């Protein structure tokens, strides 16, 4: 416990990156384009502008390498960024591993996670285009909170569809969104056609991100001067989240270290895409060869057990079609406590990187995740969000592999959020009531059998 | 919204102060000593060692100017410190004030507040003296969480008596303490003589810090190898919390500014004492003359409406007698949402500074506090704890006075914690259900009439 070693690698504001990095610029092949489900034709900026603010529609399609972060977005970032990279000395000691474990911590803001990075950007671009109402969905509530904060700051109305099971598990998440002025509907809700349809079929439906997305898109396209925002999956989100990787890259330099492993949890891919981007740049340009790992819940294994195919991002099939790893938009993930990872698909960028062998993937079980979360909380003094704890689990697994092999590998993982709104989950774990979930092969096959029929577009 | 200006003034780990500053060293007069209620004689280290770890008993009585922070405590501090000083540009703009508003933010850790600064120190000193069980009380739950984290880290058993009204308002606070391995009893509880007595008299009693302290002390003195820890009021706590002021002092230098006003909320005085210490040093030594302000709730006005007298720190009268501003240990503060400020007394150090004219005090009403909290949340992107929002209220009031007078004063306030566990309070505010409380003169007089009769010690 010497005082000479450095625990937290920080950046001053002046050292903070001022541009987002677009990993697409360095990918040898691009992912297949988003398709308009009506025509089967590749989505254009004009088409996407009906859903998103125009600048965001352009970011969705661009392969430009760097995009300057607008001044007002940078100013907001500076309210809570740069975020620290922290060396987990006490966790290393508890594991008795020769591995060096670093984590990039995004939980030090009121939204509780990295989601704020894209929320501020999206709200800003909507604001300057005169949009005065935004709709969105939220799972665990982190994205909804982040967007509520951003919309309050830029004075935009916000309607949030919150996955019902999460709204029940996390009542205070709704309250914090309302404190920031948002209107919150548990989803499925009776305020949209899609929601009413779901409720008619199954009144006790706990909801899913896929359904909530449908409801939010439906409201946005039927409301004047209103646009939709999404907290994950999209290229624009991966772009905005690159601030995580760009900072972490500089911080690892300050640490005088380079990660052999870069690990992030993956629901739709927003945090993972942002964290790995800067290290993937090295990998794609041949400068270094870190192992980048997506960690998903065994209950929702898009990459590890899904198919690489065109699918809808939502249950109601109102979004464009994306080529991605998916368990099918009809897939109903079990009610695990990591609500933010209960999504059937995966970012097209990350899906392509995984498909082409640049990205690895693992899945982990809920109880193992909470074992890791509690060990981390007690050694490193941060209570992690269940989503983030998926990355902790895999970081610990690799550190234990290092203990076996005697290798002093360097591990960097993304700690995307804090668990202050997840105490119901921790209580369930402490009470011994938590169970593991994984879909059967039949469950997945059945859902995949309902993937959209792409042959209809070939005529 | 230029990008040239600095928003967050940070310190590197190497710039972090390595000693606590003891403001007593520079006070022209010391406060009257703690008294043993049995004999009326000044408390000694030997006597206090029956309650506290010996090193902490010594810190309670020392007037030494600087005390080195032990290595393991510093190491733990570096998991979440140095904390930032942030310039509230957007709040200033919203108020249209010429004043410059800075705040020292202590909410970026899992306990959610500054309380961790003393919890780690107290757990450490107990640990090295071989104590394996600690008891404490908690109001809002911040102190209990902090001590649970520290005890988990140093592998010490912990029993927490949590003010019942707070336990009801904040169920997840109990859960987070339990996640860190603590045993939590809502107070008054049926596990102690004091608690059972209270329950017999009034079964629906919502509890108070004073009662919870009695229960915790009772358990500690009746349990082998067990000591009591307190999160506020004590000199040792003010000492440990000086890390806040010592950092803020350096950060204001980095900002090229010096505060005309230093403002903190005051329950028992832990955060305020820590924040103002370093500026009080300038004031006591004639180097500068900042106005230091304690802000207390109108519902619990120890300084602004209490008496400077010897009193017990607890309801059950098991603690030493302290000379302090008090509304009387029989005073029952209304159930405001700032549970951490519902204490009848005040740190003897701060009481003496107030009595001698070095410290000012104001009281504010609950609804005005939440008006300030929501404005702050929306402009500065941090949801404040209700306790901390008392300081925000007064900072805003002074900034508005500056708007009237046209003076560009510099304000520094302590943002002691985040409001992630206070959403019940925010919902009450948003629903228009929040009411203001202030005791009547008769309430206070009646309670003060039951102050201990010090004449019994004169014979």
């Amino acid at each position: 416990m010497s005082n000479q070693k450095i625990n937290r690698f920080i950046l001053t504001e002046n050292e903070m990156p001022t541009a987002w990095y677009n990993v697409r610029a360095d990918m040898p092949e691009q992912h297949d384009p988003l398709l308009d489900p009506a025509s089967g034709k590749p989505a254009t900026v004009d088409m996407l502008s009906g859903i998103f603010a125009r600048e965001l529609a352009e970011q969705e399609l661009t392969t430009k390498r760097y995009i300057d972060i607008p001044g007002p977005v940078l100013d907001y970032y500076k309210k809570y960024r740069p975020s620290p990279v922290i060396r987990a000395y006490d966790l290393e000691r508890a594991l008795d591993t020769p591995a060096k474990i670093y984590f990039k911590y995004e939980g030090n803001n009121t939204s509780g996670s990295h989601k704020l990075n894209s929320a501020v950007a999206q709200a800003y671009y909507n604001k300057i285009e005169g949009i005065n109402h935004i709709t969105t969905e939220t799972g665990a509530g982190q994205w909804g909170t982040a967007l509520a904060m951003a919309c309050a700051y830029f004075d935009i109305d916000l309607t949030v569809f919150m996955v019902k099971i999460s709204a029940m598990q996390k009542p205070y998440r709704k309250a914090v969104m309302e404190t920031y002025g948002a209107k919150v509907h548990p989803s499925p809700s009776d305020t949209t056609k899609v929601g009413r349809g779901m409720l008619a079929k199954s009144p006790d439906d706990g909801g899913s991100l896929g359904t909530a997305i449908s409801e939010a898109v439906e409201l946005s396209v039927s409301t004047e001067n209103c646009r939709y925002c999404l907290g994950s999956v999209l290229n624009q989100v991966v772009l905005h989240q690159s601030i995580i990787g760009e900072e972490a890259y500089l911080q690892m330099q300050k640490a005088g270290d380079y990660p052999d492993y870069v690990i992030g949890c993956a629901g739709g891919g927003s945090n993972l895409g942002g964290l790995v981007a800067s290290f993937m740049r090295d990998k794609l340009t041949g400068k270094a060869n870190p192992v980048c790992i997506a960690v998903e819940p065994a209950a929702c294994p898009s990459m590890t057990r899904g198919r690489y195919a065109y699918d809808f991002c939502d249950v109601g099939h109102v979004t464009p079609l994306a080529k991605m790893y998916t368990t099918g938009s009809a897939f109903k993930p079990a009610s695990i406590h990591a609500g933010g990872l209960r999504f059937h698909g995966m970012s097209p960028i990350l899906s392509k990187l995984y498909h082409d062998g640049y990205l690895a993937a693992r899945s982990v079980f809920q109880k193992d995740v909470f074992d890791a979360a509690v060990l981390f909380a007690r050694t490193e003094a941060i209570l992690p969000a269940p989503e983030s704890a998926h990355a902790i689990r895999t970081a610990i697994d690799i550190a234990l592999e290092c203990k076996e092999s005697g290798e002093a590998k360097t591990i960097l993982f993304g700690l995307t959020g804090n668990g202050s709104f997840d105490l119901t989950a921790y209580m369930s774990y402490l009470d011994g009531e938590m169970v593991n979930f994984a879909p059967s092969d039949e469950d997945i096959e059945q859902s995949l059998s309902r993937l959209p029929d792409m042959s209809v577009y070939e005529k």
Side-chain angles (χ1 to χ4, degrees), chain A:
Chain A
M1 295 198 190
S2 138
N3 297 326
Q4 301 313 306
K5 67 193 185 195
I6 300 294
N7 295 261
R8 287 153 56 94
F9 300 91
I10 56 178
L11 301 174
T12 65
E13 279 177 32
N14 292 333
E15 293 171 315
M16 193 164 92
T18 57
W20 293 304
Y21 164 63
N22 184 2
V23 72
R24 294 186 74 189
D26 290 310
M27 288 168 70
E29 278 181 34
Q30 294 304 315
H31 63 74
D32 293 341
L34 291 176
L35 300 180
D36 177 350
S39 65
K41 296 215 173 109
T44 60
V45 168
D46 278 345
M47 179 209 145
L48 293 175
S49 299
I51 309 175
F52 307 120
R54 189 163 191 96
E55 185 75 26
L56 294 168
E58 281 172 7
Q59 290 182 358
E60 198 57 35
L61 301 184
T62 189
T63 55
K64 196 177 162 205
R65 184 168 276 104
Y66 291 98
I67 292 175
D68 283 343
I69 304 171
V73 176
L74 261 185
D75 277 347
Y76 194 99
Y77 277 0
K78 290 175 182 173
K79 291 179 183 291
Y80 67 99
R81 306 197 68 83
S83 72
V85 162
I86 302 173
R87 173 89 181 265
Y89 284 112
D90 285 301
L91 178 62
E92 292 171 17
R93 203 162 12 237
L95 298 172
D96 191 22
T97 177
K100 291 186 273 187
I101 306 176
Y102 295 86
F103 60 97
K104 173 73 168 167
Y105 185 41
E106 292 286 318
N108 272 348
N109 67 73
T110 285
S111 82
S113 83
H114 68 292
K115 295 287 186 181
L116 199 48
N117 303 329
S118 187
V120 177
Q122 293 189 45
Y124 168 76
Y125 287 118
N126 275 281
K127 181 68 180 180
I128 58 170
E129 294 180 23
I131 309 299
N132 57 22
H133 186 177
I134 286 175
T135 70
T136 196
E137 83 301 323
T138 197
Q142 296 173 332
W143 166 249
T145 306
L147 196 57
M149 292 172 68
C151 285
Y153 186 75
F154 288 114
D155 195 20
I156 302 171
D157 289 341
L158 175 66
T159 305
V160 180
F161 292 88
M162 183 173 190
V163 176
K164 195 183 279 173
I165 180 74
S166 290
M168 282 158 47
Q169 285 170 347
K170 304 182 178 188
Y172 292 148
R173 272 286 179 197
K174 182 165 177 283
V176 68
M177 287 184 262
E178 290 172 344
T179 299
Y180 280 93
K183 190 178 293 179
V184 183
H185 300 300
S187 166
S189 80
D190 61 3
T191 69
T192 66
K193 213 181 289 181
V194 170
R196 286 189 294 270
M198 296 284 298
L199 289 172
K201 267 192 288 182
S202 103
D204 296 331
D205 198 298
S208 68
L209 276 175
T211 302
I213 292 172
S214 299
E215 292 203 87
V217 172
E218 182 184 323
L219 177 62
S220 80
V221 297
S222 61
T223 305
E224 203 182 348
N225 209 21
C226 181
R227 291 291 183 282
Y228 166 70
C229 288
L230 179 64
S232 193
V233 184
L234 299 171
N235 295 354
Q236 62 189 264
V237 175
V238 172
L239 174 72
H240 303 151
Q241 295 296 355
S242 70
I243 186 72
I244 303 173
E246 289 292 79
E247 285 182 6
Y249 193 88
L250 298 174
Q251 289 163 311
M252 290 306 294
Q253 284 181 338
K254 285 205 173 187
D257 240 329
Y258 191 91
D260 298 300
Y261 296 92
V262 184
I263 301 167
C265 63
S270 72
N271 123 76
L272 179 71
L275 175 65
V276 303
S278 310
F279 301 96
M280 195 59 81
R281 179 175 51 205
D282 284 354
K283 197 173 175 95
L284 295 170
T285 58
K287 195 173 158 196
N289 196 23
V291 178
C292 299
I293 307 177
V295 187
E296 46 185 29
C300 198
S302 318
M303 287 172 141
T304 50
R305 294 177 65 197
R307 187 178 297 167
Y308 190 45
Y310 266 108
D311 195 7
F312 288 96
C313 296
D314 67 323
V315 170
H317 297 182
V318 298
T319 64
L321 289 160
K323 179 77 172 283
M324 59 185 175
Y325 278 87
T326 177
T327 49
S329 67
F331 181 73
K332 286 191 195 227
S335 296
I336 54 168
H337 285 280
L341 305 184
R342 293 177 71 248
F343 182 65
H344 65 276
M346 181 58 58
S347 141
I349 291 175
L350 293 179
S351 291
K352 178 67 175 166
L353 288 168
Y354 179 56
H355 186 70
D356 291 351
Y358 295 106
L359 180 66
R362 295 187 181 196
S363 74
V364 291
F365 280 101
Q366 177 162 254
K367 282 201 281 188
D368 300 332
V369 165
F370 276 83
D371 287 344
V374 171
L375 175 62
F376 183 81
R378 293 183 182 183
T379 52
E380 292 301 328
I382 296 173
L383 187 77
E387 291 82 3
S388 324
H390 285 67
I392 300 175
R393 175 71 266 170
T394 294
I396 288 177
D397 289 343
I398 291 173
L400 292 174
E401 289 162 22
C402 287
K403 185 178 174 183
E404 286 296 310
S405 69
E407 290 176 294
K409 298 283 192 185
T410 297
I411 300 168
L412 170 67
F413 72 86
L415 190 72
T416 57
N418 74 56
S420 293
F421 289 90
D422 300 285
L423 274 307
T424 307
Y426 280 94
M427 288 315 288
S428 163
Y429 172 78
L430 294 172
D431 292 346
E433 289 167 5
M434 185 169 279
V435 290
N436 284 334
F437 292 105
S440 67
D441 289 342
E442 291 70 34
D443 289 341
I444 294 177
E445 277 313 311
Q446 200 182 359
S447 169
L448 288 176
S449 71
R450 293 162 67 188
L451 284 178
D453 176 8
M454 302 306 289
S455 68
V456 300
Y457 302 120
E458 283 161 18
K459 51 196 171 176

